[in-house]
């Protein structure tokens, strides 16, 4: 049955398809409301466009799918399908950057010592940094160093740092120094800590890395003091103090304390009450502790830890009134370690106790430490104590090598013979050189003043190096430069000379200052 174009088909009847179309449209047709006065019809009659004049096409449309009741659903799906990630922004390199890259790889600018991979990595690093900082158009790429030049400059800096560290290591290397260290000190026999067979590490209960830092200890003490002040004020506000009477502490026994502690390592704490046997180590345990500390010092060289442990050992020996050869050994080893590290405070304490122990007739290295006492009093300029030590020396002790050397040092300084003094400094027995290091600087100043007065108009710098026993000419020149003597050094045909005639009073002021005040305690 054919419907005319003027007559619409009845409701519920599909019109013939005049052209192919899709049943799944992207929208739902809705009747437009013409005016606000007309009521909205809930079910408007469907209207369809009139068919064309020619007959329908013999094409069957695809099966219709049910329409969505929610109009927003198809829009959401369409929006999600069309959402795409934004494309990456293309960087437009300036022409100056392109020329810089081309100039880097020109044959005339290539360096055989720099590989292409290194140049590419350096180029990437330089350009990326300029791009990240936003300086691509502000950097003068014409004057920017080429990547191979940057790489060579970095290599040169690294080589200079390596050489500086190498020279620094040589200046303090044990192999180049004639000083004896506390770890290799002996008289013909191997040190006892090298012959130990028992492994005591399994009994270690103290870890040096877990010791509380001084700042933490100060904070804990401050908090404890503040807490006590708060409690005191609270008692005053509560209506007065309550009775805090305690039974008096029984007086300590007349006999020495006998320790029962089996811990090998224990921190040093100043006694504020009578010692308790349970926290004091007996001599048997202290001997094992000494062997352990010897091995640790040789292996780790941790002076703060070793010093703390030796002070704890000395305290346990004192409260138990142990005075024998083992006590002397403990004080001697601690004194040598303190000398090696320049801790004059701890060395002086050990030296004082050793003097009393030697006076009691206990055997030890008395000759060695008497020589140290002479050099120590020379450093502190304590003439009264020095005269007392000289008066106590016997004729046999004056012939001993160490004591004879110390007496020669005193005589050379008293006579102003700096030439002999620095020869003795070069040949110091035992560990006396560590003590002489503490006053050799002021003696060099005094000798340099004498050289400036006696040798004019100039002397070779090598002469100063040999007379004042510097390690090298560079050290001698640095010593002069430290006292504003840069105008006193001159290069003549490859030989550096020291202009003594122009020195005048340049070194007199520092010399007087060096001899005016001496740090007697010397604690570190």
């Amino acid at each position: 049955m054919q419907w005319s174009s003027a007559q619409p088909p009845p409701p519920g009847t599909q019109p013939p398809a005049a052209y192919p179309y899709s049943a799944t449209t992207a929208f739902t047709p809705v009747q437009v409301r013409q005016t606000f006065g007309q009521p909205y019809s809930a079910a408007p009659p469907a209207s369809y466009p009139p068919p064309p004049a020619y007959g329908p096409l013999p094409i069957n449309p695809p099966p219709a799918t049910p329409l969505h009741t929610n109009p927003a659903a198809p829009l959401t799906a369409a929006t999600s399908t069309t959402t795409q990630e934004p494309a990456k922004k293309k960087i437009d390199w300036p022409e100056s950057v392109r020329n810089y890259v081309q100039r880097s790889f020109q044959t005339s600018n290539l360096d055989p010592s720099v590989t292409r991979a290194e140049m590419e990595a350096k180029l990437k690093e330089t350009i990326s940094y300029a791009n990240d900082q936003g300086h691509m158009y502000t950097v003068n790429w014409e004057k920017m160093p080429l990547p191979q030049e940057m790489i060579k400059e970095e290599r040169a800096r690294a080589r200079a740092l390596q050489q500086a560290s190498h020279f620094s290591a040589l200046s303090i290397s044990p192999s180049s120094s004639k000083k004896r260290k506390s770890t290799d000190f002996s008289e013909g026999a191997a040190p006892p800590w090298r012959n130990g067979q028992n492994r005591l590490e399994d009994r270690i209960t103290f870890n040096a890395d877990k010791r509380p830092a001084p700042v933490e200890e100060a904070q804990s003490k401050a908090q404890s003091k503040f807490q006590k002040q708060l409690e005191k004020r609270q008692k005053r506000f509560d209506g007065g103090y309550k009775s805090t009477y305690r039974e008096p502490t029984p007086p300590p026994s007349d006999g020495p304390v006998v320790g029962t502690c089996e811990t090998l390592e224990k921190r040093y704490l100043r006694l504020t009450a009578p010692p308790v046997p349970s926290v004091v180590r007996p001599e048997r345990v202290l001997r094992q502790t000494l062997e352990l500390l010897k091995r640790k010092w040789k292996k780790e060289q941790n002076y703060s830890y070793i010093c703390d442990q030796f002070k704890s050992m000395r305290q346990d020996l004192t409260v138990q009134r142990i005075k024998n050869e083992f006590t002397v050994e403990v004080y001697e080893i601690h004194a040598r370690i303190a000398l090696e590290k320049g801790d004059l405070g701890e060395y002086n304490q050990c030296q004082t106790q050793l003097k009393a122990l030697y006076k009691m007739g206990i055997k030890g290295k008395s000759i060695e430490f008497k020589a140290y006492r002479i050099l120590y009093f020379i450093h502190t300029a304590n003439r009264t104590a020095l005269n007392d030590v000289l008066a106590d020396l016997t004729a046999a002790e004056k012939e001993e090598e160490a004591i004879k050397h110390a007496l020669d040092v005193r005589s050379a300084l008293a006579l102003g013979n700096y030439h002999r003094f620095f020869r003795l400094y070069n040949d110091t027995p035992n560990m006396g050189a560590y003590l002489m290091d503490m006053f050799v600087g002021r003696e060099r100043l005094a000798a340099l003043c004498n050289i400036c007065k006696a040798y004019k108009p100039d002397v070779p710098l090598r002469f100063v190096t040999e007379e004042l026993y510097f390690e090298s000419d560079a050290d001698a020149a640095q010593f002069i430069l430290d006292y504003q003597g840069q105008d006193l050094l001159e290069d003549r045909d490859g030989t550096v000379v020291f202009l003594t005639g122009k020195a005048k009073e340049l070194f007199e002021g520092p010399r007087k200052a060096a001899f005016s005040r001496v740090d007697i305690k010397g604690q570190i």
Side-chain angles (χ1 to χ4, degrees):
M1 180 177 179
Q2 296 292 333
W3 304 95
S4 64
S5 60
Q7 181 181 3
T13 306
Q14 292 288 343
Y19 51 88
Y21 71 102
S22 176
T24 58
T25 60
F27 65 93
T28 302
V30 185
Q31 182 182 9
V32 180
R33 188 172 182 178
Q34 300 297 332
T35 63
F36 292 94
Q38 298 177 359
Y40 180 79
S41 176
S47 62
Y48 302 91
Y54 48 83
L57 295 177
I59 299 177
N60 296 327
T65 57
L67 296 176
H68 296 279
T69 58
N70 184 8
L75 296 176
T76 304
T79 305
S80 63
T81 57
T82 57
T83 303
Q84 297 180 357
E85 295 183 359
K88 294 184 178 179
K89 182 180 179 181
K90 184 178 180 181
I91 301 176
D92 186 15
W93 303 108
E95 188 65 23
S96 58
V97 177
R98 300 175 185 272
N99 296 336
Y100 175 72
V101 176
Q102 293 177 0
R103 192 168 68 255
S104 300
F105 289 97
Q106 288 179 359
T107 307
S108 59
N109 294 331
L110 294 179
D111 193 322
S113 62
V114 181
T115 63
R116 184 180 182 89
E118 292 176 334
M119 290 178 56
E120 292 177 351
K122 195 63 181 177
L123 273 173
K124 182 178 180 181
E125 177 186 353
T126 304
I127 299 176
S128 299
Y129 177 79
N131 184 47
D132 294 341
Q133 299 295 325
H135 299 158
M136 292 287 290
Y137 292 90
T138 58
V139 174
N140 189 355
W141 294 100
E142 297 295 333
K143 296 183 179 180
M144 175 67 69
L146 298 179
Q148 50 265 42
E149 297 175 357
M150 297 182 187
I151 295 173
K152 291 173 64 178
E153 184 179 355
E154 291 176 357
R155 290 177 180 176
R157 285 199 301 266
R159 195 180 303 111
L161 290 175
Q162 183 178 5
Q163 291 177 355
S165 60
H166 176 67
F167 291 145
S168 177
L170 287 178
S171 62
I172 60 175
S173 175
S175 60
S176 62
S177 175
K178 297 185 179 181
K179 300 178 185 178
R180 304 181 65 181
K181 294 186 175 295
S182 57
T183 53
D184 56 18
F185 193 86
S186 63
E187 291 186 1
W193 57 88
R194 297 183 183 175
N195 301 328
Q197 300 294 332
N198 297 326
R199 304 292 294 178
L200 302 177
E201 283 79 358
D202 54 343
R203 298 181 59 187
I204 297 175
T205 59
F206 179 82
N207 190 354
D209 297 333
K210 295 183 179 180
R211 290 179 291 135
V215 176
E216 297 176 355
E217 292 181 357
Q219 291 178 352
S220 62
K221 291 180 180 179
Q223 292 177 357
S224 176
K225 183 178 180 181
F226 181 70
Q227 185 67 23
K228 290 180 179 179
Q229 292 177 352
L230 286 179
E231 293 176 358
K232 183 177 179 180
R233 187 167 62 177
Q234 185 65 30
K235 289 179 180 180
R236 185 171 70 250
F237 280 45
D238 288 343
Y241 290 95
K242 297 180 181 179
S243 176
T244 56
Y245 175 79
R246 295 180 181 178
E247 295 183 359
T249 304
S253 59
D254 296 336
V257 176
V258 179
T260 58
C261 180
E262 296 293 327
T263 304
L264 290 182
E265 297 168 287
K266 188 184 73 172
R267 291 191 60 218
Y268 169 75
L269 296 174
R270 188 180 299 275
L271 290 177
T272 57
V276 181
S278 60
V279 296
V280 177
R281 294 165 292 183
E283 182 178 350
R284 169 181 53 83
V285 178
L286 290 175
R287 289 182 179 273
Q288 298 173 0
T289 301
L290 180 61
E291 298 300 323
L292 175 64
L293 294 181
K294 289 176 182 178
R295 293 196 297 272
K296 280 203 167 188
W297 171 247
K298 182 180 178 182
K299 182 179 179 180
E300 301 175 5
Q301 296 283 314
N302 187 351
Y303 178 68
S304 59
Y305 163 75
I306 289 294
C307 182
D308 181 82
Q309 292 298 307
F310 267 98
K311 291 174 71 174
S312 178
M313 287 184 62
R314 287 159 44 189
Q315 185 183 69
D316 288 350
L317 291 170
T318 301
V319 299
Q320 297 179 94
R321 303 181 187 177
I322 300 176
K323 297 180 180 180
N324 51 23
E325 294 183 4
F326 173 71
T327 307
V328 171
E329 183 182 5
V330 170
Y331 277 97
E332 287 177 346
I333 294 176
H334 192 187
R336 294 191 187 104
I337 294 175
L339 268 185
E340 185 175 339
K341 292 300 179 179
D343 190 354
L344 277 185
E346 289 300 327
Y347 164 76
N348 191 32
Q349 294 181 21
C350 296
Q351 174 185 250
T352 304
Q353 293 297 323
L354 284 173
K355 179 183 177 182
L357 293 172
Y358 292 148
K359 195 172 183 179
M360 295 172 61
I362 302 176
K363 296 181 180 180
K365 304 295 189 298
S366 60
I367 299 298
E368 173 191 351
F369 281 88
K370 284 183 179 180
Y372 293 160
R373 285 179 65 83
I374 296 174
L375 295 177
Y376 175 79
F377 291 133
I378 292 175
H379 165 59
T380 58
N382 191 344
R383 294 182 176 82
T384 302
L386 180 59
N387 292 334
D388 293 339
V389 174
L390 299 180
D392 293 338
L393 293 177
T394 63
E397 289 176 340
K398 292 180 180 180
E399 297 300 325
E400 296 287 343
E401 178 186 3
I403 295 181
K404 188 175 185 302
H405 173 272
L407 294 177
D408 290 342
V409 170
R410 171 188 171 274
S411 176
L413 292 179
L415 297 175
N417 189 347
Y418 62 85
H419 179 84
R420 187 185 182 194
F421 169 79
F422 287 107
R423 300 290 82 77
L424 293 170
Y425 173 65
N426 187 28
D427 189 21
T428 306
N430 301 326
M431 298 179 67
Y434 289 101
L435 275 168
M436 295 186 69
D437 280 343
M438 299 175 186
F439 59 90
V440 71
R442 72 187 186 196
E443 299 302 333
R444 278 174 173 157
L445 275 174
L448 200 59
C449 291
N450 292 335
I451 290 176
C452 291
K453 295 176 181 178
Y455 298 91
K456 291 183 179 180
D458 54 61
V459 293
L461 183 62
R462 189 63 188 173
F463 173 78
V464 178
T465 302
E466 294 175 352
E467 283 296 316
L468 306 187
Y469 191 66
F470 285 103
E471 294 292 336
S472 63
D473 291 348
D475 293 340
Q478 186 61 45
F479 184 81
I480 297 173
L481 294 176
D482 290 341
Y483 295 99
Q484 311 300 323
Q486 57 270 11
D487 297 333
L488 303 180
L489 297 177
E490 184 178 316
D491 190 0
R492 295 180 182 175
D493 300 331
T495 302
V496 180
V497 296
F498 174 50
L499 304 179
T500 56
K502 296 182 179 180
K504 297 182 181 179
E505 303 296 327
L506 180 62
F507 300 101
E508 286 293 337
R511 183 191 67 81
K512 292 179 181 178
F515 281 90
S516 62
R517 183 171 57 90
V518 179
D519 185 7
I520 298 179
K521 293 182 66 177
Q523 294 180 340
I524 61 175

